[in-house]
Amino acid sequence: MTNTTADTAGTHPHDVGPSGSLPTFEELRAATGPDGPTDVQLAEHFAPVFAAVAAGAAQREQDHELAFAAIEYLRGSGFTRARLGREYGGIGASLPQLADLLVGLAAADPNLPQALHGHFMFTEQHENESQGAVSEWWLAEVAAGRIFGNALVELPPSAGKRPVHWIDADPDTVQSAAATGTTEVARISGDKFYSTGAIFTDYLLVSAVRPGLEEDGPVFAIVDARDPGVHRIDDWNGFGQRLTASGTTTFDNVPVQAQRTQEFNVPTGVLAYTVLWIVLTATQAGIGTTALADITDFVRGRRRTYDHATAETPAEDPLVHQVIGSVSAKVTAARQIVRGAAATVEESYRQVRGHTDLEDPVVLEAHARANIALSEASLVVSELILDVTNQIFESGGASATDASKQLHQHWLNARTVASHTPLIYRTQAIGNYRINGAIPPFHSTARNSTPASTTTGA
């Protein structure tokens, strides 16, 4: 378990650069033009970065060691700002290109794309629909290599957790802060869970409610993850995706600065959920990619066979060929599905530009297209990769279950990813849309049930 608090040295984690042998963001930016990078440029630039990330992944899993060095490799090489538009200081990769990169990263370490999902979700929101000063600041920080995360989900008080409350600063505090050149407007305190990737990040997007005004809904603020009142604990205990730096984040009297709040219930905020699902489906495809590579290597060197086998070695056995061929086809299909779905989301972002009303037919149509595309992609890719990570054992026999080979970890990771925003609800939304034209829910947030209530939430 890791408990991390503010940096006492007062430096951002990104000040520690990656290995000098790895390509840098500056090299990538210099090599790409105003029209954005090519697929080949991205593949060549990030191949050694992904190799460096993958080199320690198995040992990290065994030792339950969070991938701080790997995050610095990604930061220094420009992975976290590859999608950022060139005019903002990035290189302007397309969303399908980012999806490809996420697959590649997931193949190296499936924890890391998921750990970075909040960074990509909300950067996409700010880049496509400016909220003024907060968007300008956010995008500038991304260009500087900063990483954003989120702490949005709460466990109920019955679990011994505190709701996160927003307490407006009194006039004297506001005046005193202004005198020192700061602009404190509130303080937040409480506990969050499922704060995926929080331990790796420089800033956290946090939701809070004003006591007595809960019916008004949450407010969203970005706070410095190094603040002394922020405590990030690595206590996520799932059987898969164990190193996504998820878990409890506590806030104790943490200051909120003016122009560090953002609106969520806007068209691009709604579309942000589909970016999350791109990350998750890309993670699934990456898990399948490595599962295929691992079982192929295992079979290639295996000599143990059976009296009723159809060849002397597994590598020569047509039945084993059939298993590997089926696995390969499913992994390739998954990768193509992810890229195609990402293209639909990118077009939906273009479609909503200039439209700010969630009831606008243009917004509703764009949301439905993106939501259904990613719901369908999530469903099919999850089924493909769960089958892949189960089917690989058909070619390895009992030897493939040796825990030291970690082949089981692929299924554990794939099963855990598939549990996010449960597929049963998204499958139902697809059917209701196809039959009745019902617009899918704008948000897919979890909430605590009210036992006495007879209504259902979206």
Side-chain angles (χ1 to χ4, degrees), residues 22 47-58 60 67 69-71 73-74 105 108-109 112:
L22 295 179
V49 180
F50 294 159
V53 171
R60 289 194 297 270
I71 288 291
Y73 300 161
L74 297 173
L105 176 58
D109 185 333
L112 297 184

Side-chain angles (χ1 to χ4, degrees), residues 435-453:
I435 296 171
N436 301 311
I439 301 297
F442 277 159
H443 302 302
S444 298
T445 50
R447 63 176 176 82
N448 299 318
S449 299
T450 303
S453 175

Side-chain angles (χ1 to χ4, degrees), residues 309-333:
T310 59
E312 186 60 28
T313 67
E316 299 169 314
D317 194 324
L319 295 179
V320 175
H321 296 171
Q322 183 178 2
V323 172
I324 301 301
S326 175
V327 166
S328 179
K330 290 169 183 174
V331 170
T332 299

Side-chain angles (χ1 to χ4, degrees), residues 18-255:
S19 168
S21 63
L22 295 179
T24 67
F25 169 70
E26 291 73 22
E27 292 169 342
L28 178 60
R29 184 167 164 83
T32 56
D35 295 331
T38 66
D39 290 355
V40 171
Q41 284 176 319
L42 291 173
E44 291 179 348
H45 179 83
F46 286 107
V49 180
F50 294 159
V53 171
Q59 193 64 46
R60 289 194 297 270
E61 188 68 46
Q62 185 172 331
D63 297 341
H64 197 92
E65 178 186 343
L66 295 178
F68 290 105
I71 288 291
E72 297 311 316
Y73 300 161
L74 297 173
R75 193 197 306 261
S77 64
F79 185 87
T80 58
R81 40 193 155 164
R83 169 66 180 149
L84 188 67
R86 195 169 184 88
E87 67 272 27
Y88 298 111
I91 61 165
S94 69
L95 203 48
Q97 285 177 323
L98 176 62
D100 280 344
L101 292 178
L102 290 166
V103 173
L105 176 58
D109 185 333
N111 297 288
L112 297 184
Q114 188 176 350
L116 294 170
H117 80 262
H119 177 86
F120 290 114
M121 282 174 67
F122 301 116
T123 298
E124 196 76 24
Q125 177 184 353
H126 285 292
E127 187 169 356
N128 282 278
E129 183 181 10
S130 176
Q131 297 185 31
V134 65
S135 293
E136 293 170 5
W137 169 79
W138 182 297
L139 298 176
E141 289 294 288
V142 172
R146 306 289 195 261
I147 297 175
F148 289 79
N150 66 82
L152 301 174
V153 180
E154 297 182 9
L155 293 178
S158 61
K161 302 300 181 182
R162 303 170 298 165
V164 175
H165 283 159
W166 168 292
I167 306 299
D168 288 311
D170 60 58
D172 290 341
T173 300
V174 173
Q175 185 176 2
S176 175
T180 61
T182 59
T183 52
E184 182 181 319
V185 294
R187 294 265 170 161
I188 59 173
S189 296
D191 306 324
K192 294 289 187 179
F193 194 57
Y194 298 126
S195 39
T196 306
I199 295 175
F200 295 135
T201 62
D202 302 302
Y203 299 106
L204 291 169
L205 174 63
V206 186
S207 61
V209 295
R210 291 182 169 92
L213 298 174
E214 287 84 359
E215 294 301 317
D216 292 346
V219 287
F220 298 90
I222 302 119
V223 302
D224 194 324
R226 303 164 303 157
D227 187 278
V230 178
H231 300 271
R232 296 164 285 171
I233 305 167
D234 180 30
D235 59 352
W236 159 245
N237 63 348
F239 60 57
Q241 296 293 98
R242 299 187 304 151
L243 301 179
T244 57
S246 304
T248 298
T249 302
T250 65
F251 301 89
D252 294 293
N253 208 33
V254 176

